[in-house]
Amino acid sequence: MSLEEAREWLQSAAAVAVLTGAGISAESGVPTFRGAGGLWRQFRPEDLATPEAFARDPKLVWEFYDCRRELMAKAKPNAAHRALVRLEIQKPHFTLITQNIDGLHELAGSGRVLKLHGDIWRMRCTSCGGNWPDRRVPLPKLPPHCACKGLARPAVVWFGEPLPDGMMREAEHAAAEAQVFLVIGTSAQVYPAAGLIPFAKQAGARVIEINLERTPFSDMVDCALEGPAGELLPQLI
Ligand code: BJW
Ligand code: ZN
């Protein structure tokens, strides 16, 4: 399926839902998880982004997040983030679902964003459950603590943890209503987010994927565009 055809589908759709992953922020200088450059020291993110790792060594896990906060604080939205802001303005029904915690969609000007995996700019207390914004980079002391003296953690979703309340239901609702479902820069390996792709397809959406490489869903989507999101998305929108 050609980019021209995908562009026509997108133009004629009134209801559009979008799922983004780390690849959309790669051109802003934020490293992805999997693939080249996806390593931090000798650890795989899969070994640090877990409640077990945090229980074992909160300082190490916080060093990982503090380092990523520093990178993300410097990052600016790119042409792909901006193209999605234009798309939102054009469409009467538009939902942006992201797995990213970097806040670049909001910084670009996107309205409501369903942040499936939380927000690196918020903290949560492991003791009292308090949840507050914190943009300090670097953090003055690791690991940070809450006013109640409890240990603070990043307000993100780790492996084995449930997604924020009701968020998957909202994402599935948008995927089911969408005439076009755009999937951008995700390796589509992490669930339940990746499950939105076959879900949207089965509900009747035309699914367009943009990625540098093929993913487990490239063969089942209606159009798999291979290339950088920052170039392809402005051409599509
Ligand atoms: C470009 C590009 C450019 C580069 N242009 N493209 C079903 C089956 C199997 C397993 C499970 C299942 N259901 C649940 C599970 C378990 C688990 C899971 O999915 N495991 C799999 C890995 C096997 N899922 C969970 O544990 C989830 N929770 C859950 O299911 O809870 C159930 C529960 C219910 C009730 C009570 C208790 C539990 C939670 C998953 C949380 C994921 N968290 C992370 C960390 C967030 C915080 C942080 O950032 O540190 O989220 S892991 C990490 O992966 C992060 C990402 O959001 C997520 C997805 O990664 P993404 O975005 O796809 O990035 P990459 O790097 O993988 O891919 C980048 C892509 O971009 C590549 O394809 C490149 O080619 C491309 N690219 N440059 C276009 N310029
Ligand atoms: Zn507290």
Side-chain angles (χ1 to χ4, degrees):
M1 227 46 66
S2 67
L3 189 135
E4 283 66 37
E5 201 166 348
R7 186 164 48 210
E8 280 164 25
W9 296 341
L10 195 56
Q11 250 162 22
S12 57
V16 174
V18 183
L19 173 67
T20 65
I24 198 169
S25 296
E27 288 158 80
S28 296
V30 180
T32 60
F33 293 89
R34 296 159 192 89
L39 292 171
W40 183 75
R41 295 197 197 160
Q42 71 270 40
F43 302 97
R44 293 184 310 143
E46 284 85 344
D47 298 331
L48 289 164
T50 69
E52 293 77 21
F54 189 69
R56 211 167 32 236
D57 194 343
K59 186 156 183 283
L60 174 73
V61 171
W62 262 116
E63 277 165 9
F64 170 60
Y65 280 95
D66 202 36
C67 173
R68 290 174 60 208
R69 282 164 65 103
E70 211 157 332
L71 272 172
M72 288 174 185
K74 287 190 204 120
K76 292 187 179 62
N78 65 52
H81 296 105
R82 290 193 296 272
L84 291 179
V85 178
R86 293 199 297 278
L87 188 63
E88 177 174 5
I89 294 165
Q90 289 166 19
K91 299 297 173 190
H93 304 283
F94 180 88
T95 305
L96 178 53
I97 308 159
T98 190
Q99 299 169 82
N100 299 345
I101 59 171
D102 56 28
L104 289 180
H105 285 304
E106 294 94 322
L107 205 57
S110 283
R112 208 171 57 103
V113 185
L114 296 181
K115 300 208 262 195
L116 297 182
H117 295 161
D119 186 339
I120 202 168
W121 303 114
R122 296 191 71 87
M123 306 231 183
R124 195 162 82 228
C125 177
T126 58
S127 209
C128 72
N131 185 310
W132 66 96
D134 186 330
R135 287 207 157 252
R136 291 173 300 167
V137 164
L139 286 164
K141 191 172 177 294
L142 297 182
H145 285 82
C146 173
C148 84
K149 297 199 165 58
L151 180 62
R153 58 163 284 178
V156 300
V157 181
W158 286 327
F159 284 112
E161 295 186 323
L163 272 51
D165 249 3
M167 204 154 281
M168 267 313 283
R169 202 165 4 95
E170 268 195 79
E172 280 171 354
H173 179 76
E177 299 288 296
Q179 286 148 343
V180 168
F181 191 71
L182 263 175
V183 185
I184 307 160
T186 176
S187 62
Q189 291 178 30
V190 174
Y191 285 80
L196 289 168
I197 304 165
F199 184 85
K201 175 81 188 143
Q202 274 154 27
R206 278 181 159 143
V207 182
I208 305 169
E209 177 184 70
I210 296 181
N211 200 302
L212 287 183
E213 47 193 48
R214 295 184 69 78
T215 76
F217 292 103
S218 298
D219 287 334
M220 66 93 78
V221 301
D222 297 282
C223 177
L225 300 170
E226 272 177 60
E231 283 175 31
L232 289 179
L233 209 49
Q235 288 176 42
L236 196 64
I237 295 168

